[in-house]
Each structure stands twice: as C-alpha cells, then as structure tokens.
C-alpha cells in the first residue's frame, strides 16, 4: 500500500479565501467546495466555537483536505488549521509552502507520514469537549464529499 503524507499548519482564515493555492490543491485532489462556504462557516461560529470540516473527492478515499475552524478565546489573528492528507505530496507540498510563505502570521509547517490529521478526521473522536475557563464547547466534525454533506 502507498504511504500517506500529511501536511498541515495554522494560517489566517482570510489567506484561505484569498489564495489561488487552495483552488489548485482542490483541483489536484479532485475535491470541490466553495471557498465562500468555508469562510461563512467560520464566521458563523464566534469566539470559543468552531468545528472540524473535512472535504473529500470520494467518500471511501483516504485523501482529504481538513480545516479546524475552532476560534479560540486568545486568537487575535483568526487562525485555522489547514491540512492535507494525500498519496502524492510533491505538487501539493509546493502549493502549501507557497501559501505558507506568503501568509502572515503562520505556524510551523509540518509534513509527515504520521496520523495527526487522520486522527483529527476520525468521527469516533467527536464530539470533542473543549474547555476554556468555565466555557465548554462540544466540537463536531462534518464531512463533505464533493459539495454534499454526508
């Protein structure tokens, strides 16, 4: 079986909306979704809330794009986790590095053959309880297979 590669980092939500790299990654992976949908979803949550959104080209495919839209209480830059899990990372890595390099601020660029994103996309781990002081949020996960919510 081919090895899976995971690439992820944090970047401001506006960088996702304003970048050509996201569209190119979607094309390479055969994934379809509207960037406006993702940004409006993020805006709908408010502080201390936000779910994990997974996009796939095909339901049974192990490849996906993932966005953790949780907006923490201390986040002043509207950061989201952006990740890709794929078989052939070469072109996708170049695009993700390009987006990472032109975004500000960002976090560490992580590329591995690990299972961090796979674990985040595991539906059995949800709802996930996130606590901050006396605030509690039950984070959920949503899967979209080429535009349809499954």
């Amino acid at each position: 079986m081919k090895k899976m590669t995971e690439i992820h980092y944090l970047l401001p939500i506006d960088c996702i909306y304003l970048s050509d790299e996201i569209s190119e990654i979607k094309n390479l992976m055969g994934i379809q979704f509207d960037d406006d949908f993702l940004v409006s979803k993020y805006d709908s949550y408010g502080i201390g809330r936000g779910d994990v959104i997974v996009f796939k080209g095909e339901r049974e495919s192990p490849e996906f794009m993932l966005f953790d839209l949780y907006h923490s209480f201390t986040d002043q830059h509207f950061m989201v986790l952006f990740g890709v899990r794929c078989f052939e990372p070469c072109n996708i890595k170049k695009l993700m590095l390009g987006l990472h390099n032109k975004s500000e601020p960002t976090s560490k660029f992580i590329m591995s053959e690990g299972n961090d994103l796979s674990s985040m996309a595991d539906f059995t781990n949800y709802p996930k309880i996130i606590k901050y002081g006396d605030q509690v949020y039950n984070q959920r996960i949503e899967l979209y297979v080429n535009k349809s919510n499954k």
Side-chain angles (χ1 to χ4, degrees):
M1 185 169 149
K2 292 183 183 180
K3 289 184 181 180
M4 298 297 294
T5 299
E6 295 186 351
I7 306 167
H8 58 94
Y9 52 88
L10 293 169
L11 76 163
I13 187 75
D14 289 348
C15 292
I16 291 168
Y17 183 67
L18 300 171
S19 75
D20 293 331
E21 290 86 355
I22 298 292
S23 294
E24 292 180 44
I25 293 168
K26 290 190 299 189
N27 287 336
L28 286 171
M29 297 184 74
I31 293 174
Q32 302 169 6
F33 65 88
D34 187 356
D35 295 343
D36 289 333
F37 165 78
L38 191 61
V39 174
S40 66
K41 192 109 174 129
Y42 177 80
D43 290 341
S44 73
Y45 290 119
I47 296 173
R49 301 177 41 117
D51 296 328
V52 173
I53 310 297
V54 178
F55 296 100
K56 289 185 168 191
E58 298 176 11
R59 183 153 182 77
E60 301 305 319
S61 174
E63 295 186 296
F64 58 81
M65 294 175 77
L66 178 144
F67 298 89
D68 184 342
L69 302 180
Y70 181 75
H71 185 171
S72 84
F73 288 94
T74 58
D75 179 7
Q76 296 177 8
H77 298 287
F78 308 104
M79 305 288 278
V80 298
L81 182 123
F82 167 47
V84 171
R85 187 168 199 259
C86 60
F87 286 118
E88 303 291 334
C90 185
N91 291 333
I92 292 172
K93 177 185 174 187
K94 288 178 189 175
L95 292 166
M96 289 186 74
L97 269 172
L99 178 57
H100 182 269
N101 290 338
K102 72 180 187 183
S103 302
E104 175 128 352
T106 58
S107 67
K108 183 177 179 182
F109 186 94
I110 300 171
M111 182 171 164
S112 73
E113 292 179 1
N115 291 315
D116 293 338
L117 292 179
S118 182
S119 177
M120 282 186 76
D122 183 349
F123 280 72
T124 62
N125 293 331
Y126 295 88
K128 184 186 301 181
I129 297 172
I130 299 175
K131 294 181 180 180
Y132 183 84
D134 61 348
Q135 303 289 320
V136 177
Y137 179 68
N138 288 318
Q139 186 180 47
R140 292 178 288 279
I141 185 168
E142 296 178 14
L143 171 63
Y144 293 87
V145 180
N146 279 345
K147 297 186 183 177
S148 63
N149 185 350
K150 305 283 181 177

